[in-house]
Amino acid sequence: MVSSSVPRLVIAAPSSGSGKTTVATGLMAAFAARGLAVSAHKVGPDYIDPGYHALATGRVGRNLDAYLCGPELIGPLFAHGARGCDLAVVEGVMGLYDGAAGEGELASTAQVAKLLRAPVVLVVDASSQARSVAALVHGFVSWDPEVRVGGVILNKVGSDRHEALLREALDSVGVPVLGVLRRVAGVAAPSRHLGLVPVAERRADAVESVRALAEQVRRGCDLDALVGLARSASGLSCAAWDAGEALVVSPPPPLPVPDPEGSAPRPPYRPERPPPQTPDGLEGAGLIEGAVVAVAGGPAFTFSYAEHAELLAAAGAEVVTFDPLRDEGLPDGTGGLVIGGGFPEVYAAELSANEPLRKAVAELALSGAPVAAECAGLLYLCRELDGQPMCGVLDAAARMTGRLSLGYRDAVAIGDSSLAAAGTRMRGHEFHRTVVEPGAGAAPAWGVRAPEKRVEGFVQRGVHASYLHTHWASSPGVARRFVERCRTS
């Protein structure tokens, strides 16, 4: 085991909307402006906040999700991202103690803080309270004695008098006030139907927003005290996650395969999370050299976990990013295609207008080459999206709706595909306001086991397309299997 002693803070709040992203991103940028190498992390599956974190720090923003990856990978993934850094800032998710529905503390900010042995800074929206702030903070401090709340940052404070009342109330709690941020219009990033607008869609404005956040935090927070608190974090005794080492993990026995009609039997033993898996037939195989894997990027496809590209590269692939809004062809030598999440519904007309690329994607899929598509990628492969022609790989139509599909999913691969062998269990996350009709093909991608039993997605030739966002660090063998299929398709 290797001990990680990188100073670290977890930025949490009593609830969503309290200002976590404002404070966390501002702190990252303010510390980076001091010349510190800052490692940025986000609790949960969110893809958008890490884009702002990356802008603030100049380093890749990374996720720490104990549901998708398992509690045992939180420390190693953190150590991987924070290697060589002076300081790490971890932005929480929802309220401090909110996690996966019905799973106790699993995937909560509190659980991650405990796994990282990191002090918590509680961001409190003080806009509509005075003395009551003491009761609120006392409750969060005392709820779980294993969670160390080391300080409070008061957000949306109205005046000097308001600040004085808040500080006086908090004196009785014994938790130091490490910052006070006043109400400032125009600093927050704009939002739309799935949260903040991603950095890639508003880069110049995003740069200015992050600069303003850094200045606001610099003026309102005691940065020296926050660094001191970060340095009080206990050491972590775990080896940093490594993509190459992760690829040699042996697979567990396969789980029962769900019935295509939607009846998904549970096995007699259900572990807390899916163990890491290597696809069948690849145990001990050498790396696959020379495979080119094209990864969709640009403003329409901004959702991706950094570990996916790292695993593909460790498996021997040359990972090349392209922009479906601008590039009229796939990268030279493309043997496999990964299309992650994003907002194709916002760019449907532009994506449709790029007919040469749509044809190239369809031809690649028709050839049997492996294609992995998640959520936005699923929509792009459909026949149409909101009436606009798409790639036509799947005989399905996609459209926007007013209904939000959101939450963690527990799934099992129904049949063999370019990503997984039948019986492979993975956990995923859905977050969209679209619907695909039909929702599953003749060979579905997944049998969803929880929260409700159903089948979803499409497997045909080398295509694996689904609404589920997955984190390949939980089952690194999917990357190795995908690269192997690039060579054999």
Side-chain angles (χ1 to χ4, degrees):
M1 288 293 180
V2 178
S3 177
S4 175
S5 58
V6 176
R8 53 199 176 276
L9 295 170
V10 172
I11 309 301
S15 66
S16 296
S18 300
K20 291 189 302 294
T21 302
T22 294
V23 172
T25 306
L27 283 174
M28 292 170 191
F31 287 135
R34 283 187 162 194
L36 298 176
V38 181
S39 181
H41 304 263
K42 170 68 179 180
V43 178
D46 180 82
Y47 293 97
I48 298 176
D49 290 349
Y52 286 87
H53 298 170
L55 200 60
T57 64
R59 297 174 60 91
V60 174
R62 296 178 183 270
N63 295 72
L64 299 171
D65 193 309
Y67 185 93
L68 295 183
C69 297
E72 68 274 17
L73 276 183
I74 295 301
L77 286 171
F78 170 83
H80 170 62
R83 185 187 284 116
C85 287
D86 302 309
L87 181 72
V89 178
V90 180
E91 180 187 343
V93 62
M94 300 185 292
L96 174 58
Y97 296 107
D98 299 323
E103 298 280 357
E105 72 170 7
L106 179 63
S108 68
T109 302
Q111 183 192 35
V112 171
K114 291 192 287 187
L115 291 168
L116 296 181
R117 307 178 72 183
V120 172
V121 176
L122 194 68
V123 178
V124 177
D125 179 351
S127 58
S128 300
Q129 58 185 317
R131 188 166 179 262
S132 295
V133 73
L136 176 69
V137 173
H138 173 74
F140 275 84
V141 169
S142 60
W143 178 260
D144 185 343
E146 294 183 32
V147 176
R148 179 162 67 98
V149 178
V152 174
I153 292 177
L154 300 171
N155 192 27
K156 300 181 184 178
V157 175
S159 65
D160 291 345
R161 174 60 177 159
H162 188 198
E163 178 181 340
L165 291 172
L166 294 166
R167 286 183 178 275
E168 180 182 2
L170 287 170
D171 282 344
S172 63
V173 180
V175 179
V177 176
L178 300 177
V180 175
L181 304 181
R182 298 297 173 89
R183 299 169 188 163
V184 179
V187 173
S191 299
R192 62 171 178 230
H193 59 283
L194 291 182
L196 297 181
V197 177
V199 165
E201 297 186 42
R202 55 182 299 268
R203 190 163 188 87
D205 291 339
V207 168
E208 178 56 29
S209 294
V210 170
R211 186 206 63 78
L213 290 175
E215 180 59 22
Q216 183 186 15
V217 166
R218 185 193 65 80
R219 291 197 313 266
C221 296
D222 187 340
L223 296 182
D224 290 333
L226 286 161
V227 170
L229 180 61
R231 288 174 176 161
S232 73
S234 302
L236 287 177
S237 297
C238 64
W241 181 85
D242 178 86
E245 293 178 0
L247 290 174
V248 302
V249 176
S250 298
L255 295 175
V257 178
D259 184 274
E261 297 300 321
S263 174
R266 291 180 179 272
Y269 167 67
R270 181 188 178 197
E272 182 182 3
R273 60 167 293 275
Q277 300 185 28
T278 298
D280 57 341
L282 297 180
E283 297 86 354
L287 297 183
I288 306 97
E289 299 294 342
V292 175
V293 175
V295 177
F301 298 98
T302 56
F303 294 4
S304 179
Y305 296 128
E307 290 81 6
H308 289 201
E310 292 168 351
L311 283 164
L312 288 168
E318 178 187 354
V319 180
V320 182
T321 302
F322 71 103
D323 184 352
L325 293 178
R326 300 169 59 91
D327 298 322
E328 294 189 343
L330 294 168
D332 290 343
T334 294
L337 174 61
V338 175
I339 316 173
F343 292 97
E345 64 270 26
V346 176
Y347 296 96
E350 293 93 328
L351 290 169
S352 183
N354 192 348
E355 187 174 358
L357 181 63
R358 290 194 289 113
K359 288 183 176 179
V361 170
E363 290 171 0
L364 183 74
L366 187 62
S367 75
V371 178
E374 291 185 346
C375 200
L378 165 65
L379 306 185
Y380 187 52
L381 295 184
C382 285
R383 185 177 62 252
E384 63 178 51
L385 169 58
D386 286 336
Q388 299 280 353
M390 291 290 125
C391 296
V393 173
L394 305 174
D395 187 17
R399 58 181 173 84
M400 279 290 291
T401 72
R403 178 177 178 271
L404 176 64
S405 295
L406 170 67
Y408 287 119
R409 307 289 186 254
D410 189 355
V412 179
I414 289 179
D416 288 346
S417 73
S418 58
L419 281 185
T424 298
R425 178 180 166 193
M426 290 190 74
R427 284 182 165 179
H429 185 263
E430 277 191 80
F431 189 35
H432 58 90
R433 291 186 182 272
T434 59
V435 64
V436 170
E437 297 167 331
W446 301 109
V448 178
R449 297 157 47 85
E452 74 282 342
K453 295 178 181 179
R454 58 187 170 89
V455 295
E456 77 92 44
F458 302 78
V459 172
Q460 60 184 57
R461 297 187 178 89
V463 175
H464 184 286
S466 163
Y467 265 124
L468 264 64
H469 293 291
T470 58
H471 199 304
W472 291 1
S474 70
S475 295
V478 300
R480 190 168 195 164
R481 182 184 183 91
F482 188 83
V483 176
E484 169 68 13
R485 297 305 185 265
C486 289
R487 296 296 305 273
T488 59
S489 62

